[in-house]
């Protein structure tokens, strides 16, 4: 390969952007939390009256019809700002390294957080998903914080094993899948909280359980298709780089486990008595496995995917 | 009476079959499969990490023996893991086969009779209109790809059969993947060979250092070809201060003789060489110092390159030389190679850079019995010194022998001398072929396409009915959750109306 001259000063500028995004994310999270607290003090306008007249599929519009409070609007402006700043940080990191910015854990985390925010903000344009804003902001905050404080490495030239166009395809699709799974996981959490019957006032502002379950299902479906592609692309790459398409490497094992868990979730959604809470738990366990695969397996399990850079 | 006896006899098998093929059971088997796969990532597996298993055995022999009994070092070929996925696939077949039959019938059948009460459908509209609307509806629905059945005063239309087709094809492709993995694995092979610069490898079983064939492998699968390693290059990052010494490319320049064609090409990580009947992969590399050993009588008892195993990222390497024919006694040498040697304050050496800038070879020399005649197979990379005496080395009677390229040194006690003639590199090559790979990929790709189809295509029914001479009703139903259903019905109605006015 041609020698890449790394631009370290530029990577420092990138780090500056990523760190400032952290501050904006934290502010957004505070505002969204305020909003939740505020909602928990007032009962929503009787949803039955409205829902009955428009039909069950329209229930989600109930919140859309509610006007955004100033706090909430400020929160979303901050979320957009932090996404833009993070995006600049990610792009600069790629420019500084002279390649795609997802070749180690730090880069995967910041790119991942950026894509999750982007998936969420885009989805928001189509569907009213404001109610999981706290989860999304919180999740992105934790991811970027972990990236900066735990996973940070200076820009490096990449080892020969990673010098392949599959790095672009395989990894970017994995990140996108994670983004969709994350939004669904947020939905599962609020679904389970609402279903538990606690904080009735707060959750009266949330969509109906059935509606939340359906949105989560749609995100998981897209995530599952992307994850299947990640798995196949990974096998094709492994055939090139490791002379076998599948070898039960620890990362391969966990990618497989996650695939099977989400397949289980999809089956649960089609099985009477297993949808609802059980399916939500299953979706949540599957997403926890995604996190586990990215953190614990990367750092502590022995295998061929030794790309954390730590 | 006979029939009641028979039905009682067939109750349990049928009961189990129904249980096994139920959706709930498929779900439980899936979850079991996920859980069963976990230990394979916790304990080292013989297939992926045989050395890890050995280390585990050395550290905790008793626990290892127990785990081995439970097949925890061979999880993915274990009885219990196999049992789960075989049951899962039987359950899959039991579920998918009858559904295929039903789907085939549905594909040939007409859309259902228009239900009496359309108002109960999730989407319902009623407007003014006459029988010309029905004609227009036929055109619009046909154009939208609906299958249409004109009934007395109504139209029943259905589309999205691709959803179930996708669902079924997806499950069949998974069976295809499983079969391709199984048969492909049977006919597959992979052989390892270490090649020093200048060496030639001929593709036959005897030439491999290690070889792992599948259960159905036949030696005739090895196509005749030969491969010479002309040169091995490592490119280091020299442009970026923080990364100096980081390898950025490994290039094995080879001359290949494929019978008809002779080519010069390069094998690199991620870029295997396509040889007849197999790919040749680059999996490792290191140094092979060329050494000559003279025995006490002045005869050459060893000459040639020795493969040294790298020990760290700066390529401190360890090698063993055995000279069984040396006189008066057999000679054994444990040697360390430092590509760029630096002396530590303790007196020991270390390598501070992986490229040979100041190469140094140090040797601990032993005499005595190499143990090669006992018939026990010996590891070429290890020296058993139990029956040997150290004559030079750290903590030995004479300090270790240190050689730079071209230098030679006498051994103590008149045991001979050694010379460091030169330095070569070696490449570890892997020759591998799995004929199932392409089929696995094809079925996997098919499964991906059909999965997308089954999850994204909505299965929809639309009805249009004339309720009186001037009133018409529309209704729509979707099999699963379908957020765009109301919008679709509105569009259809709009199109039908604009069509009937023309």
């Amino acid at each position: 390969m041609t020698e890449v001259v790394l631009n370290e000063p530029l990577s420092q500028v990138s780090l500056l952007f990523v760190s400032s995004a952290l501050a904006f994310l934290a502010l957004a999270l505070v505002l969204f939390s305020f909003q939740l607290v505020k909602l928990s003090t007032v009962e929503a306008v009787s949803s039955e009256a409205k829902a009955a007249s428009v039909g069950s599929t329209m229930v989600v519009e109930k919140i859309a019809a509610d006007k955004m409070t100033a706090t909430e609007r400020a929160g979303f402006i901050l979320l957009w700002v932090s996404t833009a700043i993070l995006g600049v940080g990610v792009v600069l990191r790629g420019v500084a390294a002279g390649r795609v910015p997802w070749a180690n854990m730090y880069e995967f985390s910041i790119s991942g957080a950026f894509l999750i925010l982007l998936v969420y903000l885009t989805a928001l344009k189509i569907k009213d998903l404001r109610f999981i804003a706290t989860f999304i902001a919180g999740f992105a905050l934790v991811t970027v914080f972990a990236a900066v404080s735990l996973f940070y490495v200076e820009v490096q030239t990449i080892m020969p094993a990673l010098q392949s166009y599959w790095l672009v395809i395989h990894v970017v699709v994995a990140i996108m899948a994670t983004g969709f799974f994350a939004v669904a996981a947020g939905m599962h959490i609020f679904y389970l909280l609402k279903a538990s019957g606690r904080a009735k006032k707060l959750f009266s502002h949330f969509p109906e359980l059935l509606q939340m379950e359906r949105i989560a299902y749609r995100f998981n479906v897209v995530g599952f298709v992307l994850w299947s592609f990640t798995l196949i692309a990974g096998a094709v790459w492994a055939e090139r780089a490791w002379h076998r398409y599948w070898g039960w490497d620890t990362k391969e094992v966990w990618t497989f486990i996650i695939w099977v868990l989400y397949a289980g979730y999809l089956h649960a959604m089609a099985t009477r008595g297993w949808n609802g809470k059980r399916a939500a738990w299953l979706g949540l366990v599957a997403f926890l496995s995604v996190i586990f695969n990215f953190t614990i397996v990367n750092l502590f399990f022995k295998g061929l995917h030794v790309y954390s850079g730590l | 009476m006979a029939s009641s006896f028979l039905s009682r006899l067939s109750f349990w098998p049928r009961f189990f079959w129904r249980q096994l093929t139920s959706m709930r059971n498929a779900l439980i088997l899936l979850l079991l499969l996920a859980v069963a796969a976990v230990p394979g990532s916790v304990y080292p597996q013989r297939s992926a990490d045989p050395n890890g298993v050995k280390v585990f055995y050395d550290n905790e022999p008793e626990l290892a023996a127990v785990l081995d009994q439970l097949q925890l070092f061979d999880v993915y070929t274990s009885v219990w893991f196999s049992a789960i996925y075989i049951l899962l696939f039987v359950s899959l077949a039991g579920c998918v086969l009858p559904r295929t039959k039903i789907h085939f019938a549905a594909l040939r059948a007409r859309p259902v009779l228009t239900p009496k009460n359309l108002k109960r459908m999730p989407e319902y509209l009623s407007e003014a209109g006459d029988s010309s609307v029905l004609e227009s509806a036929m055109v619009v629905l046909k154009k939208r790809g609906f299958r249409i059945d004109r009934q007395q005063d109504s139209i029943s239309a259905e589309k999205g059969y691709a959803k179930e087709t996708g669902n079924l094809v997806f499950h069949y492709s998974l069976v295809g993947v499983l079969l391709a993995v199984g048969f492909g694995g049977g006919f597959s092979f992979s052989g390892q060979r270490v090649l020093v610069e200048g060496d030639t490898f001929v593709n036959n079983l005897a030439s491999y250092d290690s070889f792992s064939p599948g259960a159905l492998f036949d030696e005739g699968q090895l196509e005749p070809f030969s491969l010479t390693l002309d040169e091995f290059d490592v490119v280091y990052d020299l442009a970026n201060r923080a990364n100096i010494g980081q390898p950025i490319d490994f290039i094995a320049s080879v001359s290949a003789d494929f019978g008809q064609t002779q080519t010069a090409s390069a094998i690199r990580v991620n870029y295997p060489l396509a040889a007849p009947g197999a790919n040749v992969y680059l999996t490792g590399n290191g140094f092979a110092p060329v050494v000559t050993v003279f025995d006490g009588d002045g005869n050459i008892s060893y000459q040639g390159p020795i493969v040294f195993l790298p020990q760290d990222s700066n390529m401190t390497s360890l090698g063993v030389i055995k000279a069984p024919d040396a006189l008066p006694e057999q000679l054994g040498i444990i040697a360390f190679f430092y590509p760029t040697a630096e002396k530590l304050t303790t007196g020991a050496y270390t390598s501070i850079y992986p490229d040979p800038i100041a190469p140094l070879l140090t040797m601990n020399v032993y005499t005595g019995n190499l143990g090669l005649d006992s018939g026990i197979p010996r590891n070429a990379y290890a020296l058993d010194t139990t029956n040997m005496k150290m004559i030079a080395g750290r903590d030995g009677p004479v300090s270790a022998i240190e050689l730079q390229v071209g230098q030679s040194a006498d051994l103590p006690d008149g045991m001979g001398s050694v010379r460091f003639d030169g330095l070569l590199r070696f490449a570890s090559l892997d020759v591998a072929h799995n004929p199932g790979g392409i089929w696995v990929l094809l079925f996997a790709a098919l499964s991906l396409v059909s999965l997308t189809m089954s999850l994204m295509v909505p299965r929809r029914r639309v009805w249009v009915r004339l309720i009186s001479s001037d009133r018409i009703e529309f209704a729509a139903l979707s099999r699963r959750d379908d957020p765009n259903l109301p919008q679709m019905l509105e569009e259809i109605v709009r199109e039908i109306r604009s069509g009937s006015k023309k």
Side-chain angles (χ1 to χ4, degrees), chain A residues 167-184:
Chain A
L167 175 66
V168 183
I169 306 166
H170 169 64
V171 183
V172 81
V173 179
I175 299 178
M176 270 166 56
T178 309
F180 279 89
F181 286 150
V183 174

Side-chain angles (χ1 to χ4, degrees), chain A residues 222-275:
Chain A
V222 178
F224 185 68
V225 170
L226 293 172
W227 194 260
S228 310
F229 181 86
T230 304
L231 205 147
I232 295 170
V236 174
W237 188 5
E239 198 275 332
R240 296 272 95 187
W242 299 330
H243 52 90
R244 83 289 183 291
Y245 61 84
W246 193 266
W248 296 108
D249 170 58
T250 45
K251 205 61 182 284
E252 291 173 343
V253 170
W254 278 91
T255 305
F256 170 79
I257 291 173
I258 290 161
W259 191 86
V260 172
L261 285 174
Y262 276 105
Y265 164 84
L266 293 182
H267 277 84
M269 286 297 286
T271 308
R272 201 167 297 134
W274 275 79
N275 49 7

Side-chain angles (χ1 to χ4, degrees), chain A residues 3-4 6 161 163 237 239 254, chain B residues 41 238 240 248 270 281 481:
Chain A
E3 207 156 1
V4 172
L6 305 168
Q163 292 165 19
W237 188 5
E239 198 275 332
W254 278 91
Chain B
S41 70
L238 297 175
N240 304 295
I248 52 176
N270 270 317
Y281 300 84
D481 158 47

Side-chain angles (χ1 to χ4, degrees), chain A residues 1 3-4 6 157 160-161 163 214 217-218 237 239 241 243 245 248 253-254 260 264 267 271 274 301-302, chain B residues 23-24 27 30 37 41 49 76 237-240 243 246 248-249 270 279 281 283 430 434 440 444 480-481:
Chain A
M1 76 172 255
E3 207 156 1
V4 172
L6 305 168
T157 38
Q163 292 165 19
R214 285 178 173 179
Y217 175 76
R218 258 171 251 153
W237 188 5
E239 198 275 332
H243 52 90
Y245 61 84
W248 296 108
V253 170
W254 278 91
V260 172
H267 277 84
T271 308
W274 275 79
F301 282 39
K302 196 179 156 193
Chain B
M23 196 73 159
R24 197 174 62 96
L27 175 58
L30 272 172
S41 70
D49 181 20
Y76 307 105
D237 185 353
L238 297 175
N240 304 295
N243 290 298
Q246 184 112 315
I248 52 176
D249 208 355
N270 270 317
N279 279 342
Y281 300 84
T283 58
D430 204 300
N434 185 337
V440 175
R480 288 291 295 270
D481 158 47

Side-chain angles (χ1 to χ4, degrees), chain A residues 81-109:
Chain A
V81 170
S82 47
T83 307
I85 294 175
L86 185 60
V88 173
V90 169
V91 170
L92 288 183
R93 175 80 183 192
V95 174
R99 53 167 165 74
V100 289
W102 48 76
N104 54 48
M105 261 178 102
Y106 167 73
E107 293 172 0
F108 190 97
S109 306

Side-chain angles (χ1 to χ4, degrees), chain B residues 86-228:
Chain B
I86 290 170
L87 273 178
L88 188 62
F89 273 90
V90 171
S91 153
L92 181 156
C95 180
V96 170
L97 287 174
R99 275 180 79 154
T100 309
K101 207 175 144 202
I102 294 168
H103 187 52
F104 263 117
L107 279 175
R108 274 173 289 143
R110 292 166 153 196
V112 290
L113 276 179
T114 308
K116 283 213 176 79
N117 188 357
L118 286 179
K119 285 191 182 120
R120 287 161 77 177
M121 291 302 151
E123 296 306 322
Y124 176 83
L125 292 166
S126 140
E127 298 201 353
D130 55 27
S131 57
S132 73
V133 172
L134 283 186
E135 302 310 319
S136 167
M138 291 285 281
V139 177
V140 168
L141 290 170
K142 189 150 227 160
K143 210 156 72 186
R144 281 180 165 258
F146 277 87
R147 175 177 306 206
I148 303 163
D149 188 39
R150 178 72 197 259
Q151 294 160 6
Q152 288 166 345
D153 55 349
S154 71
I155 295 169
S156 174
E158 180 159 5
K159 73 178 284 189
Y161 294 82
K163 186 185 190 64
E164 180 69 357
T165 309
N167 183 20
L168 295 172
V169 172
F170 169 72
H171 286 92
Y172 285 119
S173 342
L174 289 187
V175 177
V177 168
L178 186 74
L179 291 178
V181 167
F183 283 106
F187 288 106
S188 74
F189 66 86
S190 94
Q192 290 72 41
R193 172 65 194 258
V194 168
L195 219 51
V196 177
E197 284 172 316
D199 275 2
T200 299
F201 154 79
V202 179
N203 189 29
N204 60 44
L205 273 186
S207 313
Y208 286 104
D209 299 329
S210 60
F211 193 82
S212 31
L216 305 168
F217 169 78
D218 177 79
E219 204 179 332
Q221 280 176 251
L222 297 180
E223 303 269 347
F225 68 84
S226 72
L227 212 64
T228 304

